[in-house]
């Protein structure tokens, strides 16, 4: 191979989306515990704090588990690392499929990922947010992660949205709660942070909700994301060909119609010419 295969999501280089996800998590933790929680009443602080902590810890745990997972086709690992010559010979003689990039036999359902430079069994897609391939070994972890993230962002959206609205509706009450923890000059900053977190929560709740729904649909259909994309591309090509055929047919029909009209006009001119000749000959 020209370049080494990636082991997991923590193999360098990190993807910009991956780094962005770390920043978002850090921002959410700091923003929620240091600006959102303080303006809640004592009972709400405890309950909301516990619920948020559970989902936040779950997000970090499953995110780390997914990024550190190794979805590489087991046959590739065995073929490239095993010292058992008989086993290697057996794999060479009866391969389901051969990958010229990995230079190894692979499973029939494996696909080579150009980003990771390795084959993943039952390849679903390459997730930029964890910088790792999603396949047979880590697909369940991926679905759990996006589901947990969706609920986490929903909590952020609801709680921060409520705080943001309350900061205008019950301005003095919220202001006093904030000033009990911080100085008098941070109230506007508090509103800005709550607004940013609320908008982030709305955006990611919608996107993650769509993603969860898509994968539930794909599981119901028994398809991977990769197969779904290929099917959509195939449908697009068919539609394009049909439109192109219709356009070509229409153009051909227009050409024939114009040609017929020109021929008819030419025949009409010939008739007139013949009539003139007959008239002149009589004279």
């Amino acid at each position: 191979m020209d370049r080494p295969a990636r082991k997991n999501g923590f193999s360098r280089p990190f993807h910009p989306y991956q780094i962005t996800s770390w920043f978002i998590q850090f921002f959410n933790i700091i923003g929620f515990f240091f600006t959102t929680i303080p303006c809640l009443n004592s009972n709400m602080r405890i309950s909301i704090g516990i619920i948020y902590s559970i989902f936040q810890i779950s997000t970090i745990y499953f995110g780390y588990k997914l990024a550190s997972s190794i979805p590489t086709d087991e046959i590739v690992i065995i073929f490239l690392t095993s010292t058992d010559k008989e086993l290697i010979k057996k794999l060479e003689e009866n391969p389901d499929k051969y990958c010229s990039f990995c230079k190894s036999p692979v499973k029939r359902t494996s696909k080579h990922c150009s980003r990771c430079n390795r084959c993943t069994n039952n390849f679903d897609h390459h997730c930029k947010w964890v910088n790792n391939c999603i396949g047979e070994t880590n697909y369940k972890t991926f679905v759990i992660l996006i589901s947990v993230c969706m609920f986490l962002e929903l909590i952020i959206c609801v709680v921060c949205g409520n705080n943001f609205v309350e900061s205008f509706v019950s301005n003095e009450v919220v202001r006093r709660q904030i000033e009990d923890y911080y100085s008098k000059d941070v109230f506007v900053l508090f509103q800005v942070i709550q607004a940013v977190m609320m908008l982030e929560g709305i955006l990611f709740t919608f996107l993650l909700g769509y993603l969860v729904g898509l994968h539930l649909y794909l599981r119901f259909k028994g398809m991977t994301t990769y197969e779904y994309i290929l099917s959509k591309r195939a449908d697009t090509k068919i539609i394009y060909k049909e439109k192109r055929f219709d356009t070509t047919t229409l153009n051909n029909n227009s050409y024939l119609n114009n040609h017929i009209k020109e021929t008819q006009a030419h025949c009409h001119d010939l008739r007139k010419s013949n009539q003139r000749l007959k008239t002149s000959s009589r004279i």
Side-chain angles (χ1 to χ4, degrees), residues 193-256:
I193 293 174
Q194 295 305 292
V196 171
M197 293 183 70
M198 176 188 67
L199 293 174
E200 176 221 312
I202 293 172
L203 175 64
F204 281 102
T205 299
F206 174 77
L207 293 176
L208 289 165
Y210 171 79
L211 194 59
V212 170
L214 174 63
H215 280 277
L216 290 175
Y217 169 78
L218 293 178
R219 288 298 91 190
F220 176 75
K221 289 289 186 179
M223 299 173 67
T224 63
T225 303
Y226 179 68
E227 291 169 344
Y228 176 74
I229 292 171
L230 289 181
S231 67
K232 286 295 180 183
R233 286 179 181 174
D235 292 342
T236 303
K237 287 181 180 179
I238 291 170
I239 293 170
Y240 172 75
K241 287 180 179 179
E242 288 177 350
K243 286 183 177 179
R244 188 176 179 184
F245 175 77
D246 292 341
T247 304
T248 304
T249 305
L250 180 63
N251 291 336
N252 289 338
N253 290 337
S254 299
Y255 172 77
L256 289 172

Side-chain angles (χ1 to χ4, degrees), residues 34-69:
F34 289 94
T35 63
T36 305
I37 292 292
C39 73
L40 301 174
N41 60 55
S42 57
N43 293 329
M44 291 294 288
R45 285 175 197 165
I46 296 172
S47 57
I48 295 296
I50 291 173
I51 294 171
Y52 176 84
S53 298
I54 291 172
F55 280 98
Q56 184 64 70
I57 292 170
S58 299
T59 298
I60 294 172
Y61 170 75
F62 287 109
Y64 175 81
K65 185 178 180 181
L66 185 62
S68 61
S69 62

Side-chain angles (χ1 to χ4, degrees), residues 8-157:
N8 54 38
F10 293 116
S11 301
R12 303 289 179 87
F14 298 132
H15 194 279
Y17 281 22
Q18 185 181 22
I19 298 172
T20 302
S21 70
W22 297 342
F23 172 78
I24 291 172
Q25 292 301 315
F26 179 77
F27 173 76
N28 284 343
I29 293 170
I30 299 299
F32 200 86
F33 282 110
F34 289 94
T35 63
T36 305
I37 292 292
C39 73
L40 301 174
N41 60 55
S42 57
N43 293 329
M44 291 294 288
R45 285 175 197 165
I46 296 172
S47 57
I48 295 296
I50 291 173
I51 294 171
Y52 176 84
S53 298
I54 291 172
F55 280 98
Q56 184 64 70
I57 292 170
S58 299
T59 298
I60 294 172
Y61 170 75
F62 287 109
Y64 175 81
K65 185 178 180 181
L66 185 62
S68 61
S69 62
I70 304 174
T72 308
D73 189 329
E74 298 90 342
I75 293 179
V76 176
I77 297 174
I78 294 170
F79 187 80
L80 297 179
T81 60
S82 178
T83 56
D84 189 339
K85 294 182 179 180
E86 291 185 4
L87 178 59
I88 292 174
K89 186 177 180 181
K90 185 178 179 181
L91 291 173
E92 287 178 329
E93 290 175 350
N94 301 297
D96 289 338
K97 193 166 69 173
Y98 186 85
C99 177
S100 58
F101 296 102
C102 294
K103 297 179 181 177
S104 167
V106 295
K107 292 182 179 179
R108 183 180 55 82
T109 55
S110 289
K111 180 193 173 297
H112 190 85
C113 175
S114 58
R115 292 186 180 92
C116 293
N117 198 29
R118 66 178 175 195
C119 279
T120 299
N121 185 33
N122 203 21
F123 178 84
D124 188 83
H125 70 285
H126 180 89
C127 181
K128 298 176 182 178
W129 295 97
V130 293
N131 203 19
N132 203 2
C133 286
I134 309 301
E136 184 178 23
T137 58
N138 58 5
Y139 182 79
K140 289 182 179 179
T141 305
F142 169 75
V143 174
I144 293 172
L145 175 63
I146 60 176
S147 301
V148 170
C149 284
M150 180 187 69
F151 285 111
L152 176 65
E153 292 295 339
L154 182 61
I155 292 169
I156 292 172
C157 172

